[in-house]
Amino acid sequence: MNSSGKATSKMKDKKSENITEDEAALYDRQIRLWGVDAQKRLRAARVLLAGVCGLGAEVAKNLVLSGVKSLTLLDHRSVTETDTRANFLAPCDSIGKNIAEASQERAQILNPMVEVTADSSNIADKTSDFFTQFDVVCVMRCRQQELIRINEICHQNKTLFFAGDVFGMFGYMFADLQEHQYIEEVKEKKQIEDNGKKQIVEDTKFVKRTEHFVPLSQALDIDWTSKKYASQLRRTSPAYFIMQIIMEFISLHGRTPGPSHREEDKIELLTIKNALLEKLNVPSDKVGNQFAGIVFGQLSPVCAIVGGVLAQEIIKAVSQKDLPHNNFFFFSTLDGAGVVECIGH
């Protein structure tokens, strides 16, 4: 059977699994909101969450509460004092311990019906077979090349892939759902006649739609001088390029911009900005220099916003309900707004 066939049969198996009485009582409001079939898909989903940072904690919380089958927390790093401020799953007395293992207990307490496990391995050491165990792979705190590698594995194996991160007052998420089918509620108004009187009534239909996604490598490899993208550049959010600047910083220095190196990192970020935009043939004024002062650490409110959107998109993708964000979501306090961008199609 080919990979497409495997994905189809797997989905049928998920939908056929029954929900217990205890689950029906616990998830009553959710079932009323998106239906029993959507909840069945959620409770059969095996999720890998790599990168247990402040953003990861928000995503983990929302997924565990939604009722997925299992959640694996993967991170080889140790808890730092900074982590305990952003990651509410890691206790203050866990500094020095593995952050995935330190976060497992509190995540499990949120919903005993979800199997929460911790893996203290380095994601860079994981082979292709490891990622194919999961229905959803969500990666944070990872270098660009590693994100691309994992995304390619997921893309080839029909596994839903998400990536995201928060840098100070800036955050993003990316989704690659390959060829994704979903159900959308469409409300239509129509006129009926009742006892000789004409009335306008609203009718709800459920329409099956398909959305096509591209891998991260394609979404990052854009020729901004081409006719298609030159016209799109003006409308493209500067946040897309800020994300790439920070990715390049991490690739060069092996760390994120840090408060303890604030002044030197600001200079380095602006240097990378000028070089990267020149390489991409994008005007340097597309990204203002203010961004270099707001990308340090992880702020809990930004983690909550981006984590809420990211978890929402995972739930939508797994449950196959409603139009997903295709393919980037950006949040920045420079404009105080969230933006959805479709890049690379």
Side-chain angles (χ1 to χ4, degrees):
M1 186 181 291
N2 61 29
S3 58
S4 176
K6 288 180 181 178
T8 302
S9 62
K10 187 192 295 184
M11 186 54 67
K12 287 181 179 178
D13 290 340
K14 288 180 181 181
K15 193 172 177 180
S16 64
E17 292 182 13
N18 293 323
I19 291 179
T20 66
E21 290 185 10
D22 288 343
E23 288 173 324
L26 180 62
Y27 305 130
D28 177 66
R29 286 191 294 178
Q30 293 175 190
I31 293 172
R32 291 171 185 268
L33 178 64
W34 52 54
V36 68
D37 284 342
Q39 190 64 44
K40 284 182 180 180
R41 293 189 180 98
L42 276 172
R43 57 100 59 199
R46 299 159 300 173
V47 182
L48 171 67
L49 194 153
V52 194
C53 50
L55 176 62
E58 290 286 351
V59 176
K61 173 200 69 177
N62 292 327
L63 293 182
V64 169
L65 292 175
S66 75
V68 296
K69 178 183 180 64
S70 66
L71 178 70
T72 299
L73 304 175
L74 172 65
D75 205 318
H76 67 284
R77 302 170 184 85
S78 298
V79 180
T80 65
E81 185 177 349
T82 302
D83 287 323
T84 61
R85 295 170 186 162
N87 178 358
F88 52 79
L89 295 178
C92 293
D93 62 0
S94 63
I95 294 174
K97 299 179 182 178
N98 174 264
I99 195 166
E101 295 173 348
S103 303
Q104 186 268 341
E105 182 178 359
R106 287 184 174 180
Q108 183 65 81
I109 291 172
L110 291 170
N111 189 347
M113 292 188 182
V114 176
E115 179 186 352
V116 181
T117 58
D119 187 332
S120 60
S121 305
N122 191 326
I123 193 171
D125 297 330
K126 297 296 189 182
T127 63
S128 300
D129 290 342
F130 172 77
F131 298 102
T132 58
Q133 302 175 60
F134 303 96
D135 303 295
V136 181
V137 171
C138 180
V139 185
M140 287 152 275
R141 300 180 86 178
C142 209
R143 296 190 185 202
Q144 178 179 317
Q145 288 305 312
E146 197 61 31
L147 289 174
I148 291 173
R149 178 184 80 89
I150 298 166
N151 184 192
E152 292 295 339
I153 294 169
C154 293
H155 196 87
Q156 293 169 11
N157 290 279
K158 310 298 181 186
T159 301
L160 304 178
F161 175 83
F162 294 85
D165 225 321
V166 166
F167 309 100
M169 293 182 273
F170 170 83
Y172 83 94
M173 66 144 278
F174 169 81
D176 174 14
L177 312 183
Q178 300 96 46
E179 184 177 297
H180 179 66
Q181 294 184 340
Y182 65 97
I183 302 296
E184 187 173 34
E185 290 187 22
V186 178
K187 296 187 182 297
E188 296 180 348
K189 291 183 178 181
K190 62 181 181 180
Q191 183 175 283
I192 63 171
E193 190 168 324
D194 184 22
N195 294 327
K197 295 182 180 180
K198 294 181 179 180
Q199 295 181 348
I200 302 296
V201 296
E202 194 172 67
D203 188 30
T204 301
K205 294 183 178 180
F206 296 91
V207 181
K208 190 174 184 177
R209 304 190 188 279
T210 301
E211 193 81 0
H212 298 274
F213 289 73
V214 300
L216 181 61
S217 58
Q218 186 172 329
L220 295 176
D221 186 18
I222 302 298
D223 180 4
W224 293 100
T225 63
S226 66
K227 182 178 180 180
K228 176 182 179 180
Y229 286 104
S231 60
Q232 185 179 327
L233 178 59
R234 183 179 59 84
R235 302 189 304 273
T236 301
S237 171
Y240 169 78
F241 300 102
I242 295 173
M243 174 194 68
Q244 292 204 59
I245 293 166
I246 300 174
M247 284 182 170
E248 181 69 12
F249 182 101
I250 295 170
S251 295
L252 289 172
H253 300 281
R255 62 174 178 85
T256 58
S260 60
H261 308 276
R262 182 179 295 271
E263 293 308 314
E264 61 189 86
D265 284 358
K266 284 172 66 175
I267 294 172
E268 176 67 354
L269 286 164
L270 294 177
T271 301
I272 293 173
K273 168 206 153 180
N274 293 330
L276 180 65
L277 295 186
E278 182 179 0
K279 177 183 176 182
L280 297 175
N281 291 298
V282 172
S284 61
D285 61 359
K286 178 64 181 178
V287 178
N289 291 343
Q290 308 98 308
F291 85 93
I294 68 163
V295 294
F296 298 95
Q298 285 205 335
L299 296 185
S300 295
V302 180
C303 290
I305 293 169
V306 180
V309 173
L310 181 45
Q312 163 196 285
E313 290 305 304
I314 293 173
I315 291 169
K316 284 162 60 176
V318 172
S319 65
Q320 299 178 357
K321 290 278 288 185
D322 300 326
L323 174 67
H325 288 342
N326 188 356
N327 48 357
F328 286 100
F329 169 81
F330 298 104
F331 177 81
S332 171
T333 56
L334 289 176
D335 51 22
V339 179
V340 177
E341 291 276 1
C342 184
I343 300 175
H345 286 254

